[in-house]
Amino acid sequence: MSILTLQGISKRYGVVQALSGVSFEVPAGSVFGVLGPNGSGKTTLLGIVTDVLKADSGNFQLFGGPASGAARRKIGTLLETPNFYHYLSAWKNLEIAASIKQRGKDDIARVLKICGLYERKDTAFKTYSLGMKQRLAIASVLLGDPDVLILDEPTNGLDPAGIAEVRVLVQQLADSGKTILLASHLLDEVEKVCTHVAILQKGQLLLSGPVNEVLQRNDFIELAAADNQALAALLLQYPDCTGATVTGNKVVATFAVAPDPAAINSWCAGQGIWLQQLQLRRKSLETAFLELTHTSAQ
């Protein structure tokens, strides 16, 4: 089942085309990352889904039906950090948030425990670390136990400790069965917490789907022998080898399928070339992303 289905969503601000015909589906139970640099249209897209903004064209469905008020009440949204009162405790701030959202105040203890803040429930907000403040913001989103969470850049502006805290919390929420739609410009965040991703660039959807399919990171092998030129020429004869290039004092070989280092070593020896180095490596996520965005920009 798809929690959210977007069909041809477009939005323009004057001469700026913020979104252009964006379509994708968010599967139930996924952590779906909307990935792109600042200005790519991520926040605009989330604003449309949460009814803060209106699309110029296109439509979307929630839970397989129209985007009704009843459907939106199943969604918890964090588009910007709430304006908590610095001199009030976490508990008092959530009481105010519950009143505004018309959620039950009897849910406050539960969400504070989920977010690891129950022991600090009576402490003033101003004494919280950045990570704790963001976890309290997520606690506010969890009031009423929504099925779906929409989080816009939840780790933005946090220090490394705060980033780690929020990522662990997001993973725990996903493990509990929540569907999470998460906008981010951080590749590392997508790799560590997301199951699916849609990549936006200047309002255009480049690709969407499972992370390991969209951001393909094919294995490659670094090798060395007494004669690297001869080794490179030999490797081009190896089944499924798609390229072999001498780089510095080694040969970098790529393959159409996942390579088997032991089989390659044995094959080279059988051809009279003894390897001095053989190491399986993987393309970095950053390289895969840059290759995708660069190709799409051409």
Side-chain angles (χ1 to χ4, degrees):
M1 173 185 172
S2 293
I3 293 296
L4 169 66
T5 303
L6 299 168
Q7 298 174 321
I9 298 292
S10 294
K11 179 69 174 179
R12 176 183 288 275
Y13 299 106
V15 298
V16 177
Q17 188 71 47
L19 294 170
S20 182
V22 173
S23 302
F24 61 79
E25 295 187 7
V26 177
S30 65
V31 182
F32 197 105
V34 181
L35 176 64
N38 293 331
S40 61
K42 304 186 300 298
T43 298
T44 296
L45 182 66
L46 296 190
I48 290 171
V49 170
T50 55
D51 204 31
V52 174
L53 298 171
K54 296 295 184 184
D56 296 333
S57 61
N59 58 78
F60 66 93
Q61 291 186 324
L62 293 173
F63 306 99
S68 63
R72 288 196 175 88
R73 281 192 287 275
K74 300 178 182 179
I75 299 174
T77 302
L78 180 60
L79 294 187
E80 58 184 27
T81 302
N83 293 318
F84 290 125
Y85 293 94
H86 285 217
Y87 291 92
L88 294 182
S89 66
W91 189 282
K92 290 295 184 182
N93 270 299
L94 290 186
E95 283 187 339
I96 295 170
S99 295
I100 293 172
K101 297 180 179 184
Q102 297 182 335
R103 307 285 193 186
K105 294 181 182 180
D106 55 354
D107 201 26
I108 293 174
R110 181 188 69 87
V111 300
L112 284 172
K113 289 175 182 177
I114 289 173
C115 295
L117 295 172
Y118 187 77
E119 299 302 319
R120 297 285 301 273
K121 66 181 186 300
D122 297 319
T123 306
F125 177 76
K126 66 178 181 178
T127 67
Y128 280 14
S129 67
L130 291 174
M132 292 170 68
K133 289 176 179 177
Q134 191 68 340
R135 282 188 281 138
L136 185 61
I138 294 175
S140 176
V141 171
L142 291 173
L143 289 169
D145 199 20
D147 298 324
V148 179
L149 306 177
I150 295 180
L151 310 175
D152 188 12
E153 302 275 7
T155 61
N156 196 31
L158 300 184
D159 57 22
I163 289 172
E165 290 174 14
V166 171
R167 284 179 178 169
V168 168
L169 176 56
V170 169
Q171 190 59 64
Q172 290 172 343
L173 292 170
D175 292 343
S176 73
K178 302 290 185 188
T179 301
I180 300 173
L181 181 61
L182 180 154
S184 179
H185 66 278
L186 302 175
L187 282 166
D188 189 52
E189 190 161 66
V190 169
E191 181 182 33
K192 289 182 176 177
V193 303
C194 294
T195 60
H196 294 68
V197 65
I199 298 180
L200 295 178
Q201 185 178 46
K202 297 180 179 178
Q204 300 276 349
L205 177 69
L206 302 186
L207 280 174
S208 67
V211 170
N212 60 354
E213 293 180 12
V214 173
L215 294 171
Q216 294 185 21
R217 303 168 63 192
N218 297 330
D219 295 336
F220 63 94
I221 289 184
E222 293 179 348
L223 315 93
D227 186 343
N228 280 338
Q229 293 291 346
L231 174 59
L234 178 64
L235 285 169
L236 290 173
Q237 302 173 35
Y238 186 83
D240 297 317
C241 180
T242 58
T245 306
V246 178
T247 304
N249 59 356
K250 61 180 179 288
V251 177
V252 177
T254 56
F255 300 83
V257 297
D260 182 345
I264 293 170
N265 185 39
S266 177
W267 186 81
C268 288
Q271 305 298 315
I273 291 185
W274 300 94
L275 298 180
Q276 300 170 348
Q277 175 188 340
L278 187 155
Q279 188 163 11
L280 181 65
R281 296 194 180 277
R282 199 175 192 197
K283 182 190 301 180
S284 71
L285 187 66
E286 182 179 16
T287 299
F289 177 74
L290 290 175
E291 288 178 353
L292 173 63
T293 54
H294 177 72
T295 299
S296 300
Q298 292 179 338

